[in-house]
Each structure stands twice: as structure tokens, then as C-alpha cells.
Amino acid sequence: MGTQAKTDLTKAELLAAMPHGADRQKVADICGLDPDQILDFSANIFAPGFTPAIEKSVNSAAAKIYPEPYADSLRQELAKKRKLRPEQILLGNGGADLIYRLAGFLRTCPNFPLRSEVLVLAPGFSEYAKALRAYGLGIKEYPLKADLDFRVDEEILAYLDQSTLAVWLCQPQNPTGQLLDSELLAKLRRACSENGIYLIQDECFLDFLSPAESEACSLSPGLKPQEFVLKSFTKLYGMPGLRLGWLEAGSVETLELLRAQTPTWQVSGPALAAGLAALLTPHEELEQWRSQIDEERAKLSRALTAFGASQITGKANFLFFRHKLEDLQVRLLQDTERPVLIRNCAGYAGLSAGYYRIAVLEPEENSLLIRALERLAKTRQSEPAQPETKAKFQIVGVNALERASVLVEEQKPVSTETRLRKLQESLRGQGPLSLMVLGCSSSVGKSVIAVGLCRLFARLGFRVMPFKSQNMAEYVEQADGRRFAVAQMQMAEAACQDYIPEMNPVLLCPKTERGSDVYLLGNYWQSPSAGQYYKIKHQLWSEVEKAYLELESRADIIIIEGAGSPAEINLQKDDFVNLGLARRLDLPCILVGDIDRGGVFAALYGTLALTGELGQEQIRAMLINKFRGDPKILAPGLVQFETLARKPLLGVMPRFPHLTLEREDTMSDDTSSYSREERETAYDLLADGLAEHLDLELLSKIILRQD
């Protein structure tokens, strides 16, 4: 592949990764173009809809005073037009604003968290999934099949189950432009109603259809109590910059809940005036628009067929198609007369390179696109024939159940060696880096995980330093009276480092049930009672920070172990061993739970809840430890738990019945003692286990703070 071809492929990947069309400035930056020269077919906006009457209504006077708090005048007019009660309509700052408000409502509705998943179509508008994830809701994708031209079939009914909180549709579907059959829509409405499932339908494109076809595909005006319709002035009236949309609900009570969560003045004065003017557009003018769009869509469809496109579908004001040119978007942007921007659909879930969408614009602009296609066709005739290849890149969403299955299965889709090499490459030269291991309680295995991580990164060639700011643990006493914690000495061994006192600056050695000898950097400091210690422990923070900075100057990666549980709310004041330390030093954390003792989901979820906002900020992922049994049984629970906790799962570690490591906890009943050779065997066993069972790509992102 030549240099130019490589450059174009990179452009194609960058353009495909863009979540939306209409970002001409970003496209221009990628391709080195003047944004004002780009002819934009990537956004489905009907420019003639912004009529002189609408333009005249948008004046500066409306921007100089506060608008109506809830746009009641527009709400009244919409109610008349839509044959609804005003109390069933909520105005918003465009469709995207209302998408997020709907997601927020679902997160707080009575059915959550017993039901936590929303069924969406794939491919589909990415903003739905983005909003749902932002509010911690699970996403279940119904895959539209290419061999059915991406139509929804009755199989969708089988996707409804006890976990389904809502179904989110779009009519016509974006990006394919296909309509859901009216009979199937009726069955789906009935199934949702009978099973207490919310049904949301985005009808922003439905006004481009004839009134009869639109009525057959709409949920309004006969909305059921658990149904919503999303509408917008953006597409038909060509006013995306004014941001104006509305939501219709079958239940007045439900809409009042949504309205209570909505700030006042969501609709600006100019947008309100434009909306009222738009509703006055004569019926005859709307029919002329629809007729023009139908004619132009047919003309573009014929041109695409002549160009070699296939699977051409689409209602409304856009067309969806497939072409064997995977860099078609880039080639049209390189047109010799004028750069033409079409929508690359490779970024949609379930679609690969070669799928595109174009808007139906005005006749003159459509003719420019057709001529650009004709020029490209002639250029291709002079190019040497290229063998057919599979898609060079594909941007797809991650199915949560598949991801959970990977984490609990023994076999990985990519070899462990390859995954480790990628981890090594991603972290090389990025230090000093850090990772903190927290646990839901004592004895969940955070020391074991920390030891394994020390050996894992040491084997990858990194300089690893272990750290635990405060420990109450078994210790080794030196001839000079200094005391060092056994756990951190083992971590140093695993990291292939000589132990230094800075690895555990504060060591507590209990002498009574209410008092301990406190050692600072191995040397005796004081013997306060428990009550006295918590009054004076803040004095130790400077020593803890100094010790950490010393390790940081020597390390590529520091593995930090917490103590006990970060959810011990009585100890959170002046904490410098768990999340208090993580906050002060900005340490990314993982949270370990012990499944062997039972209740691991409750322990992890409860810990996150009790640590509040600080836990949500610093804890990046969770790890389940000591698993045994059939992994397939665990997988569905992992999916639901990730949704509820709003945190990803880093991995599921197996239970190792007998590890040849010295006891760490002073309360442990284990009195075993192991040789260095036996401990080395345990270090390698743990490192192998972590390499096999952790999501190493996620681990890299956590350490690099890219999650």
C-alpha cells in the first residue's frame, strides 16, 4: 500500500469515528480543507423549511428578555396540532436535550433497578446509548440484519424479558431509513404495555412522510401510559442552531415528574418565536416539500445505483447505501470541483466500512453530488483493478454479555502473550504511574492481588515499587529494633526490589485491644491509645507523602495497597491509607471483592455507595476474587452489576486454594512459614493468573487515566 493510500485510510478511520455528521470544521481539519467550501450531505436538514416567516420571527428583541419559563404558548399550539392535552407535552432545548432527560427519568423511575436494561436497535443513533450509559443504564442491542435490509422483524419480541426497562425506537430508523411495520409496531406496543415496559419512539423524521404513512407509524395521538414520543423542529424546518424539540407522554403524571427535573427557560425566546411561526406553515407548502423530497430522493437513488451502490434504503430526507469503496467519503472530499461530505456509517454499532448515508438536499446541490459521483466513476475506470478485500477497519460497540463472558472464560480471543505485549507497549515510557488496590473488607485478597501485580509488571520490564502508607500486620524485627511489615517485604520481593522503609512508612503493632506501638519508617514513634492515635495521625501525612514521592522518583509504576475497607465511614476523616490517600495523590483505584465468602455483589455495591462521590471519582473498576464454579452462571450477573454500579469489571480471579505466602494479617490463624523459593512460585502463579483473567486493555486505560 502506497503512502497516499495509507494516509487516506487513516482519514477514513478518523471520519468514521466521528459520532455525528455536520461537523464541517473537524472534517476540514482532518482533510486539510476550507470548511466553507464543503458541500455537506452528512446532516439530514431540510434547508427550505427555514421559511422567510420563520426567519422574520427570530429577532433580537426576543433575546433581550426572559422567555416563558416552560414555553407554554408553544405547548398550547402543539397540543392543538397533535390532538393532545398541553399537560402531555414538554418543550426542550432540541431533541438531544430531551434524550438525556428521558434517560434521567428511566434511572429514577419506580421500575429501576429491578429492571435496568434498555433495548435499542443496532445500528442506531449513538446519542441514545450515550445518554443511557451516562445515567448508568444497561443497553441491550437488537441487531438489525443486512440480509433483511436492516428491517425490524418479529424476533424483537423475544428480546423483551424481566430485565427490560424500556424499548427505544426511531421512525424512520436512523441511519437506514427503514420503517417498522405497523402491525409489528402494534404487537410491540401491546407487549410493552402488558409487561410494564416503557416504549420511546423518536419521530423527528416522521414529518417527511405523507400524513397517512406518518399516522400509521406514530404512537400519537393514542399514547399509552408508558409511552413517549420524541419530536423536533430541527429536521423539517431547517433550524438546528435554534435547538427546539418536544416530548409527548401518555401519562400526565409521568410528564410532571419529567417537568419537575427540567430547569426553567430551556427554550430561548428566539427559538420559541421560531416554533410558533413554524406551526403556521400552510399544509399546501408542507405537501410541496414532501413532493420535492420524494422526487429528489428518487433521483439520487438512481444515481447511486448507476454508481454501483447496493442496499439502497430510506424514507424521509436521506438515503442509506453500501458501496465496495471503503474510502468513498474521502474520495468525495477530494473532488476536483468542490469537496462533498457524506456520512460514513462505519462508526455505527453493527456496521462495517462501506456503509454510507446521504441527505436529500435542494435540487441544485443534489445535482452537484451526482456529478461528483460521475467524475469519480470515470476516475475509477482508469485505475488498475484491485482484488476484493474484507473491511480494513470496523468500529463496533461492545456487547456487555459478551464482555462478561470473556472475563470469566478460560480462553481469550487473543493470546495472553499478545495482550501482555500491548499492555507493555502502552505503558512504556509513560511513568511514573500508579495503581491502588482497595478491598471491600480485610482478607478479600487485596494483598494477594497487589503482590501479583508487582510481579506481573516486573516481568514486563518495569521498575515497580510497592507502597502501603499504613499497615497493621505481621512484621519482621531487625537487630537494630526497626520493624518492617511482612506484606510489603513480600511485595518488594515480587517486584524484584530490595525493601526500603518508604514502602510502608507507618506500621501499627497492637499491644492491647485499645492501643498500638506506632513505627515510622521502621523506627519506634509513639504508643498512643486508639482514641489518641486518631487525634494525632494527621501529623503523619507529611511523612507519608514524602515516602511516596521518594518511591515515585525511583519507579515506573507504584502498586499501592489500601487497608481494611474504604467504606469504614467512621475512619474516613483524616484518612491517608484508602480513598483519602487516593484523593490527595490522585491515584486510580480498583476495588476487590471476595466471592468465596458470599455476597460479593452487595459488598462491592455497598462499598461504592458508602464511599459516595469520592469513590465514584477514584475507583475506576472492580475485580472479583476467589471465584470457583461454572463461569457461565456468573456472566449474566456481571452484566447487570456493571449497569447498577456504573463501573466496569476488570476481571474475575480464580480461587487459589493454597498460596505459599506469609500471612499478612495480625488476626490470621495461619502460622505457616515459607521459603523464598516457595514464595517465588506463588508470585509467578499470581502473575500468570492476572495475565490470564484480567482485561489488560482496561487495566492499561485505568493506569493511564484514559478510562
Side-chain angles (χ1 to χ4, degrees):
M1 181 182 289
T3 303
Q4 183 62 44
K6 288 182 180 179
T7 302
D8 290 348
L9 181 58
T10 302
K11 290 177 184 177
E13 291 174 324
L14 291 170
L15 293 169
M18 293 175 63
H20 303 293
D23 192 344
R24 288 192 298 173
Q25 183 60 59
K26 186 171 182 179
V27 171
D29 291 342
I30 292 172
C31 299
L33 299 171
D34 179 352
D36 294 331
Q37 293 300 310
I38 296 174
L39 181 57
D40 190 0
F41 280 81
S42 69
N44 309 316
I45 304 299
F46 185 66
F50 197 76
T51 63
I54 295 175
E55 186 170 11
K56 185 178 179 181
S57 72
V58 184
N59 57 67
S60 60
K64 295 178 180 178
I65 59 173
Y66 276 102
E68 298 169 14
Y70 292 100
D72 286 340
S73 60
L74 182 54
R75 199 156 61 106
Q76 295 285 346
E77 293 304 315
L78 279 171
K80 295 175 188 176
K81 186 178 181 67
R82 300 289 293 170
K83 300 178 182 178
L84 295 168
R85 297 163 59 186
E87 294 82 7
Q88 291 178 272
I89 295 175
L90 178 68
L91 274 295
N93 187 238
D97 169 47
L98 294 164
I99 287 170
Y100 278 80
R101 297 205 177 282
L102 274 170
F105 165 75
L106 292 175
R107 186 63 170 78
T108 58
C109 73
N111 292 354
F112 186 89
L114 296 178
R115 296 173 180 267
S116 58
E117 293 188 333
V118 179
L119 180 63
V120 299
L121 306 184
F125 185 41
S126 63
E127 209 68 24
Y128 305 148
K130 183 181 175 184
L132 294 169
R133 289 193 183 98
Y135 281 93
L137 293 159
I139 297 169
K140 185 191 302 183
E141 291 182 346
Y142 172 72
L144 299 171
K145 303 176 183 65
D147 57 358
L148 294 178
D149 282 338
F150 301 99
R151 291 189 181 91
V152 179
D153 61 13
E154 293 210 7
E155 189 182 347
I156 192 173
L157 299 173
Y159 277 67
L160 307 181
D161 57 30
Q162 292 299 314
S163 68
T164 308
L165 176 63
V167 177
W168 202 310
L169 303 175
C170 183
Q171 290 270 59
Q173 172 69 358
N174 181 8
T176 66
Q178 293 284 28
L179 285 170
L180 185 66
D181 177 75
S182 58
E183 291 185 8
L184 179 55
L185 179 59
K187 290 181 181 179
L188 187 58
R189 293 180 74 177
R190 198 159 45 244
C192 288
S193 179
E194 291 172 354
N195 292 283
I197 298 171
Y198 290 103
L199 178 60
I200 302 164
Q201 184 158 283
D202 185 338
E203 299 184 2
C204 290
F205 290 107
L206 210 51
D207 289 332
F208 289 103
L209 279 59
S210 69
E213 198 170 19
S214 176
E215 185 178 349
C217 299
S218 178
L219 301 185
S220 288
L223 283 165
K224 298 179 185 295
Q226 287 181 277
E227 293 180 344
F228 298 93
V229 164
L230 184 65
K231 299 283 288 184
S232 173
F233 286 86
T234 297
K235 311 296 183 182
L236 180 63
Y237 296 103
M239 43 194 276
L242 284 173
R243 310 308 304 142
L244 183 60
W246 77 92
L247 185 68
E248 300 172 358
S251 166
V252 172
E253 292 76 16
T254 297
L255 198 77
E256 279 302 311
L257 291 175
L258 272 158
R259 183 169 176 171
Q261 299 171 8
T262 301
T264 50
W265 307 304
Q266 283 296 97
V267 177
S268 69
L272 174 59
L276 289 168
L279 292 181
L280 296 176
T281 304
H283 173 75
E284 295 75 19
E285 192 165 356
L286 293 173
E287 285 301 307
Q288 288 176 4
W289 293 350
R290 295 186 185 107
S291 177
Q292 175 185 318
I293 290 169
D294 288 344
E295 290 177 8
E296 292 300 306
R297 186 172 60 238
K299 183 170 72 175
L300 285 170
S301 181
R302 290 192 295 270
L304 288 171
T305 301
F307 183 67
S310 60
Q311 287 186 274
I312 304 171
T313 60
K315 293 282 186 177
N317 64 328
F318 60 90
L319 284 166
F320 173 78
F321 64 95
R322 187 175 191 177
H323 199 279
K324 61 184 177 182
L325 282 180
E326 296 172 4
D327 60 346
L328 176 60
Q329 185 186 36
V330 174
R331 291 193 181 218
L332 287 172
L333 284 166
Q334 295 170 339
D335 183 71
T336 54
E337 291 194 10
R338 185 175 179 183
V340 176
L341 173 61
I342 66 174
R343 182 76 164 94
N344 188 335
C345 294
Y348 282 85
L351 292 180
S352 60
Y355 282 101
Y356 304 96
R357 190 195 68 199
I358 59 171
V360 178
L361 302 183
E362 295 186 72
E364 296 80 6
E365 294 168 316
N366 296 332
S367 295
L368 290 174
L369 171 59
I370 292 171
R371 288 200 292 271
L373 292 173
E374 291 170 347
R375 284 191 293 274
L376 181 55
K378 290 179 181 178
T379 302
R380 291 186 63 227
Q381 289 175 358
S382 62
E383 294 178 352
Q386 297 292 329
E388 290 287 333
T389 59
K390 293 184 178 180
K392 298 180 180 66
F393 63 92
Q394 184 173 10
I395 303 171
V396 297
V398 178
N399 179 279
L401 184 56
E402 290 177 359
R403 182 175 174 277
S405 299
V406 167
L407 289 171
V408 297
E409 291 288 354
E410 294 181 0
Q411 298 300 320
K412 300 288 180 182
V414 180
S415 71
T416 300
E417 291 75 14
T418 300
R419 294 165 55 245
L420 283 171
R421 186 169 60 253
K422 288 182 177 179
L423 175 66
Q424 181 186 47
E425 291 172 354
S426 68
L427 301 182
R428 184 183 291 133
Q430 301 293 324
L433 302 169
S434 57
L435 179 68
M436 187 171 195
V437 182
L438 301 173
C440 293
S441 68
S442 297
S443 302
V444 299
K446 55 182 175 290
S447 296
V448 168
I449 298 298
V451 164
L453 288 169
C454 285
R455 176 51 56 96
L456 176 67
F457 287 116
R459 290 202 311 202
L460 292 177
F462 294 103
R463 292 174 299 167
V464 185
M465 291 288 173
F467 183 72
K468 186 166 185 174
S469 56
Q470 174 186 289
N471 204 353
M472 182 183 289
E474 288 295 314
Y475 59 87
V476 174
E477 186 162 350
Q478 307 295 309
D480 59 4
R482 291 188 300 164
R483 292 183 180 182
F484 302 133
V486 169
Q488 275 60 62
M489 295 182 75
Q490 289 186 131
M491 289 176 69
E493 285 182 351
C496 304
Q497 298 290 335
D498 294 329
Y499 180 83
I500 59 174
E502 283 82 2
M503 293 175 178
N504 177 211
V506 180
L507 175 65
L508 305 181
C509 302
K511 62 177 184 177
T512 68
E513 289 189 359
R514 296 190 178 183
S516 298
D517 291 333
V518 180
Y519 283 74
L520 181 61
L521 297 173
N523 297 306
Y524 175 77
W525 184 57
Q526 290 187 36
S527 297
S529 67
Q532 291 171 334
Y533 179 68
Y534 287 107
K535 291 179 180 178
I536 63 174
K537 62 179 290 191
H538 66 275
Q539 300 174 21
L540 297 171
W541 165 244
S542 60
E543 296 296 334
V544 168
E545 184 177 32
K546 191 186 303 179
Y548 180 85
L549 293 175
E550 173 61 27
L551 296 182
E552 195 174 54
S553 69
R554 303 181 182 208
D556 296 319
I557 300 175
I558 304 177
I559 301 298
I560 306 103
E561 182 192 350
S565 167
E568 293 166 347
I569 54 180
N570 58 310
L571 304 179
Q572 288 177 356
K573 186 177 183 296
D574 296 323
D575 166 51
F576 58 70
V577 67
N578 286 313
L579 286 173
L581 181 73
R583 177 186 57 199
R584 294 184 192 214
L585 299 178
D586 190 24
L587 307 173
C589 305
I590 61 173
L591 179 64
V592 179
D594 179 0
I595 197 171
D596 194 46
R597 64 175 62 188
V600 68
F601 292 132
L604 289 166
Y605 191 83
T607 300
L608 282 171
L610 287 174
T611 55
E613 185 177 344
L614 180 57
Q616 285 292 333
E617 289 176 358
Q618 301 297 147
I619 297 173
R620 304 298 210 273
M622 300 165 295
L623 189 153
I624 292 178
N625 196 24
K626 305 181 188 178
F627 176 74
R628 51 181 169 175
D630 185 351
K632 293 180 181 178
I633 297 174
L634 183 62
L638 301 181
V639 176
Q640 186 174 2
F641 182 63
E642 281 191 331
T643 299
L644 291 171
R646 299 170 63 185
K647 296 289 179 184
L649 189 73
L650 181 60
V652 179
M653 281 291 287
R655 177 177 177 268
F656 296 101
H658 182 65
L659 279 173
T660 50
L661 293 177
E662 304 294 349
R663 59 178 178 162
E664 189 266 346
D665 198 325
T666 57
M667 303 303 292
S668 171
D669 294 328
D670 183 7
T671 58
S672 303
S673 181
Y674 301 103
S675 67
R676 176 66 182 265
E677 183 179 359
E678 289 173 314
R679 294 197 300 273
E680 287 290 331
T681 299
Y683 302 151
D684 288 331
L685 177 65
L686 288 170
D688 289 341
L690 289 168
E692 181 68 20
H693 295 281
L694 295 193
D695 182 339
L696 298 183
E697 183 179 358
L698 175 59
L699 180 63
S700 171
K701 290 179 179 179
I702 291 170
I703 295 173
L704 293 173
R705 294 171 173 81
Q706 297 173 346
D707 53 309

